[in-house]
Amino acid sequence: MAATRDKALLTVSHLTKKFGGVMAVHDVSFAVYPGQIVAVIGPNGAGKTTLFNMITAVLPATSGTVQAMGTEITGKRPCDIAALGITRTFQNLQIFKNMTVIENVMTGAHVGMNTNFLWSALRLPSVKREEAATLEKAYRLLTQVGLAHLAYESAATLPYGSQRLLEIARAAAANPKLILLDEPMAGLNPQESRELVRIILQMREAGMTFLFVEHDMETVMSIADNIVVLDFGEKIAEGTPKDIYNDPRVIAAYLGDEEVVV
Ligand SMILES: Nc1ncnc2c1ncn2[C@@H]1O[C@H](COP(=O)(O)OP(=O)(O)O)[C@@H](O)[C@H]1O
Ligand SMILES: [Mg+2]
């Protein structure tokens, strides 16, 4: 058992993505182990989202490999990745605004089903029992993210910060082993960010593993076990928050970024 526990959930090896002449991700390797919270950081345009898109099969890699739970993902579709135990949220929020809050979470439990098919299938008696379990589970996840009291509201009426939490509840509904969060704190106020940190830590306590992109260094330093730093598509450093905080290459990459902004 000990050996199985130590197996990587995700192994990224020499992953590369070229968009025409742009080397968005170049020769990036790292692994994520069960129970870890791993952060991917780096200046804007460093390749973080592209990396997530390759891991979740939204984009094919130019070269290199991704293994999810030991299975090579090349040639798989995004819904296959969810079935393998990896789900994600998006940098630009993607929730179903024409559904209720709880329906949004329930769609996450049915990975690989399109929503029209899902809602017509729900009328069949054969799926009713399973649906009761899905409903219960969705409600439990909403309780976990503090949105249970809004379960039957239209998702469109939620404030932005709550929609971000809803997206995480939906990503968790598929019983994933690993959740990828692309800038989950973007647009949240400090109180909402603290709440999100609490939820992530609580979900990790319950056995979840996270890989997340985040700009807020304080958050990254406080919750990440391991940090992968990208700059211009290359992995320039990897290590604990303490290692990264003192790494001259990382400091240089961020100072460089600030100079561009100023
Ligand atoms: N679909 C695309 N087509 C062409 N270039 C892209 C595409 N997506 C991203 N890029 C480029 O790849 C680089 C990395 O982008 P991205 O992964 O979004 O960075 P990050 O998420 O770190 O800000 C950038 O130079 C960006 O302009
Ligand atoms: Mg991005």
Side-chain angles (χ1 to χ4, degrees), residues 144-200:
Q144 221 173 346
V145 300
L147 295 177
H149 62 296
L150 301 170
Y152 295 96
E153 301 292 323
S154 158
T157 65
L158 294 188
Y160 179 79
S162 304
Q163 292 187 0
R164 292 242 103 164
L165 294 178
L166 173 58
E167 215 192 2
I168 293 173
R170 187 179 60 200
N175 280 335
K177 296 205 166 57
L178 171 65
I179 299 182
L180 273 56
L181 306 170
D182 195 351
E183 301 203 24
M185 272 86 179
L188 300 190
N189 65 39
Q191 191 192 335
E192 289 170 327
S193 295
R194 281 195 297 276
E195 176 62 7
L196 182 52
V197 164
R198 192 189 64 74
I199 289 165
I200 291 172

Side-chain angles (χ1 to χ4, degrees), residues 19 22 24 42-51 59 91 182-183:
F19 292 113
V22 176
N44 277 333
K48 305 175 299 291
T49 295
T50 303
L51 174 69
L59 283 176
Q91 186 168 352
D182 195 351
E183 301 203 24

Side-chain angles (χ1 to χ4, degrees), residues 39-250:
V40 178
I41 66 170
N44 277 333
K48 305 175 299 291
T49 295
T50 303
L51 174 69
F52 272 28
N53 284 341
M54 288 189 283
I55 293 171
T56 52
V58 170
L59 283 176
T62 304
S63 61
T65 61
V66 177
Q67 288 195 344
M69 328 294 152
T71 303
E72 171 56 47
I73 68 131
T74 303
K76 300 231 185 293
R77 298 164 302 166
C79 59
D80 300 325
I81 304 306
L84 279 174
I86 297 181
T87 56
R88 72 177 289 182
T89 64
F90 291 85
Q91 186 168 352
N92 306 314
L93 191 64
Q94 292 191 7
I95 60 163
F96 300 113
K97 295 210 163 154
N98 58 340
M99 290 184 190
T100 65
V101 169
I102 198 158
E103 285 167 349
N104 264 275
V105 181
M106 290 174 75
T107 61
H110 297 272
V111 291
M113 258 193 209
N114 88 35
T115 51
N116 286 338
F117 175 72
L118 168 64
W119 292 112
S120 49
L122 290 187
R123 295 194 202 102
L124 299 172
S126 57
V127 282
K128 279 214 171 117
R129 196 167 45 180
E130 193 199 324
E131 274 324 297
T134 305
L135 186 68
E136 206 180 300
K137 175 157 190 225
Y139 197 81
R140 202 169 62 237
L141 285 166
L142 285 176
T143 306
Q144 221 173 346
V145 300
L147 295 177
H149 62 296
L150 301 170
Y152 295 96
E153 301 292 323
S154 158
T157 65
L158 294 188
Y160 179 79
S162 304
Q163 292 187 0
R164 292 242 103 164
L165 294 178
L166 173 58
E167 215 192 2
I168 293 173
R170 187 179 60 200
N175 280 335
K177 296 205 166 57
L178 171 65
I179 299 182
L180 273 56
L181 306 170
D182 195 351
E183 301 203 24
M185 272 86 179
L188 300 190
N189 65 39
Q191 191 192 335
E192 289 170 327
S193 295
R194 281 195 297 276
E195 176 62 7
L196 182 52
V197 164
R198 192 189 64 74
I199 289 165
I200 291 172
L201 290 173
Q202 185 186 307
M203 288 171 91
R204 190 259 288 269
E205 236 10 70
M208 194 62 73
T209 306
F210 289 95
L211 177 64
F212 78 116
V213 168
E214 187 47 54
H215 281 298
D216 180 41
M217 273 311 139
E218 209 177 310
T219 303
V220 170
M221 294 295 166
S222 65
I223 70 171
D225 302 302
N226 196 34
I227 302 175
V228 172
V229 189
L230 298 185
D231 191 25
F232 294 109
E234 311 249 357
K235 184 176 93 171
I236 58 164
E238 180 180 357
T240 63
K242 200 164 156 242
D243 297 337
I244 296 306
Y245 194 74
N246 297 310
D247 191 308
R249 286 162 304 178
V250 178

